[in-house]
Amino acid sequence: MVSASAPGKVILFGEHAVVYGEPSLVAGIDKRVYVDAEKKGDRISIASDVGSSSFSLDEIGLPAQDELRYVKKAVELVFKRVDKRTGLEINITSEVPSASGLGSSASVSVATILAVSKLFDADLTLKEIAELGHRVELEVQGAASPTDSSVATFGGVLFIQPTEKKVDSIEADLSLIIGYTGVERSTKVLVERVKSLRDRYPGIVDPIIQDIGRLTREARTRLERGDDVGDLMNVNHGLLEALGVSTEQLSRAVHAARDAGARGAKLTGAGGGGCMIALAPNHQVEVTRAIEASGCSAIRASLSRAGVRIE
Ligand code: MEV
């Protein structure tokens, strides 16, 4: 048996705009997804907290709509990469709530790619794992940036420039509190919502996307100098509101956190539910309480440099 794990993530800046080629800033967190895989029989059997599935090798590659579609696609792409296939038993456990905006889909894809490729003694480079992880997201979601798959692979704080296919590692130390609305949502649906708005109002939506790109570049510069990025987080949240991906609950938590002393706060990930983050170098207790009083549960997580790895 091979066990692999990959980290969840918070997007600090740039979600949605990164789908249109603008940069994103993303950080790995110390909540991980674990995948145990072993060769067994002539079926693929997957068990996880969100569901289970068993199918024959002939069914690999058929369209799947269930919760496990990222795992199925990851297995299919590894089989293609190594040009071999076999029955598998896969068990998934996760510290990252699914469909919460904390990157569980990319983490499970990337950890599956590492675990299953190791079963075939294939030594994929991290770059190859990140690329396969991105392909999983592209094929399952239709549109996806390399943000989530890169951070699930490399960990740390990353500045991603999709058009240049560049991923830079940044030194940054941030004290973040995560608020989870408890509302599951689909990244695919939210990415389609922004696309539909942009298709209808390109002259209005494109400048918003470009502004998010500008503030993400400015945030990188400030982070590298050790300067505060709270104001930029607040502006980013406002622009995400304008794109229609916040919810009343998310924005309530964002404002509650700011009122309690957070330097900045914004939704993180695709929005529509999921999570928000507050930058709270001070007043941590007050900010945590305010987020909880607004109707979210606070998740304690630290930034983590640990990317995908064999356990
Ligand atoms: C999802 O975590 C982030 C989005 O920007 C989609 C993507 O980058 O693929 C909304």
Side-chain angles (χ1 to χ4, degrees), residues 9 11 15-16 18-19 141 143-145 147-148 187 191 269-270:
K9 62 91 186 34
I11 297 187
E15 49 273 270
H16 286 291
V18 69
V19 175
Q141 285 169 208
S145 79
T147 304
D148 295 13
T187 299
V191 167

Side-chain angles (χ1 to χ4, degrees), residues 36-113:
D36 298 337
E38 63 182 313
K39 290 184 177 173
K40 200 164 184 184
D42 54 6
R43 294 180 70 77
I44 313 283
S45 302
I46 308 170
S48 83
D49 301 343
V50 296
S52 55
S53 176
S54 175
F55 51 97
S56 71
L57 288 175
D58 295 337
E59 290 170 275
I60 270 276
L62 294 181
Q65 291 308 324
D66 61 313
E67 300 285 357
L68 299 171
R69 57 200 187 281
Y70 290 89
V71 187
K72 292 178 180 173
K73 184 55 77 179
V75 170
E76 178 195 336
L77 294 187
V78 173
F79 282 178
K80 274 195 193 140
R81 165 66 176 73
V82 300
D83 200 19
K84 286 181 197 143
R85 48 174 57 195
T86 179
L88 293 173
E89 193 166 288
I90 297 178
N91 276 297
I92 299 160
T93 46
S94 180
E95 299 164 351
V96 184
S98 76
S100 65
L102 299 182
S104 63
S105 310
S107 313
V108 79
S109 306
V110 160
T112 302
I113 290 165

Side-chain angles (χ1 to χ4, degrees), residues 1-6 32-36 114 307-311:
M1 186 178 74
V2 175
S3 298
S5 75
R32 302 180 71 83
V33 176
Y34 298 84
V35 175
D36 298 337
L114 178 60
V308 68
R309 66 182 179 212
I310 295 293
E311 288 296 323

Side-chain angles (χ1 to χ4, degrees), residues 1-309:
M1 186 178 74
V2 175
S3 298
S5 75
K9 62 91 186 34
V10 287
I11 297 187
L12 304 171
F13 294 95
E15 49 273 270
H16 286 291
V18 69
V19 175
Y20 299 94
E22 298 295 340
S24 61
L25 259 167
V26 61
I29 57 173
D30 62 353
K31 300 260 177 273
R32 302 180 71 83
V33 176
Y34 298 84
V35 175
D36 298 337
E38 63 182 313
K39 290 184 177 173
K40 200 164 184 184
D42 54 6
R43 294 180 70 77
I44 313 283
S45 302
I46 308 170
S48 83
D49 301 343
V50 296
S52 55
S53 176
S54 175
F55 51 97
S56 71
L57 288 175
D58 295 337
E59 290 170 275
I60 270 276
L62 294 181
Q65 291 308 324
D66 61 313
E67 300 285 357
L68 299 171
R69 57 200 187 281
Y70 290 89
V71 187
K72 292 178 180 173
K73 184 55 77 179
V75 170
E76 178 195 336
L77 294 187
V78 173
F79 282 178
K80 274 195 193 140
R81 165 66 176 73
V82 300
D83 200 19
K84 286 181 197 143
R85 48 174 57 195
T86 179
L88 293 173
E89 193 166 288
I90 297 178
N91 276 297
I92 299 160
T93 46
S94 180
E95 299 164 351
V96 184
S98 76
S100 65
L102 299 182
S104 63
S105 310
S107 313
V108 79
S109 306
V110 160
T112 302
I113 290 165
L114 178 60
V116 176
S117 61
K118 281 283 177 209
L119 285 177
F120 292 100
D121 293 322
D123 272 326
L124 304 190
T125 61
L126 287 180
K127 190 163 176 279
E128 272 182 293
I129 294 173
E131 279 168 7
L132 278 180
H134 185 208
R135 268 190 48 210
V136 171
E137 298 222 309
L138 278 175
E139 292 193 25
V140 173
Q141 285 169 208
S145 79
T147 304
D148 295 13
S149 43
S150 298
V151 75
T153 306
F154 299 108
V157 180
L158 305 177
F159 183 78
I160 312 234
Q161 290 162 278
T163 43
E164 289 152 55
K165 293 193 183 306
K166 248 182 112 203
V167 176
D168 296 338
S169 190
I170 302 291
E171 287 304 320
D173 188 20
L174 293 172
S175 201
L176 295 176
I177 298 164
I178 301 172
Y180 178 36
T181 58
V183 177
E184 295 191 5
R185 77 301 164 278
S186 151
T187 299
K188 181 175 163 53
V189 168
L190 285 143
V191 167
E192 277 166 5
R193 190 186 295 174
V194 174
K195 179 178 181 306
S196 152
L197 192 69
R198 182 173 181 252
D199 288 347
R200 282 175 288 138
Y201 305 100
I204 292 166
V205 172
D206 279 341
I208 296 175
I209 288 172
Q210 287 153 14
D211 277 344
I212 294 176
R214 262 191 286 278
L215 75 81
T216 302
R217 286 185 202 94
E218 175 70 19
R220 175 192 180 157
T221 307
R222 295 185 69 84
L223 280 176
E224 286 182 320
R225 287 202 306 244
D227 289 349
D228 178 63
V229 292
D231 292 335
L232 293 174
M233 273 191 178
N234 295 339
V235 177
N236 197 164
H237 183 76
L239 294 173
L240 288 165
E241 279 260 23
L243 292 180
V245 295
S246 190
T247 63
E248 192 198 334
Q249 192 185 359
L250 276 170
S251 290
R252 205 166 50 230
V254 161
H255 285 280
R258 289 181 201 157
D259 291 347
R263 278 295 305 122
K266 63 182 276 292
L267 71 83
T268 184
C275 288
M276 51 76 66
I277 48 173
L279 180 63
N282 308 306
H283 310 290
Q284 290 198 359
V285 174
E286 295 88 333
V287 172
T288 304
R289 279 201 197 120
I291 288 172
E292 286 174 342
S294 79
C296 288
S297 46
I299 297 178
R300 282 178 202 291
S302 307
L303 302 195
S304 167
R305 288 174 172 276
V308 68
R309 66 182 179 212

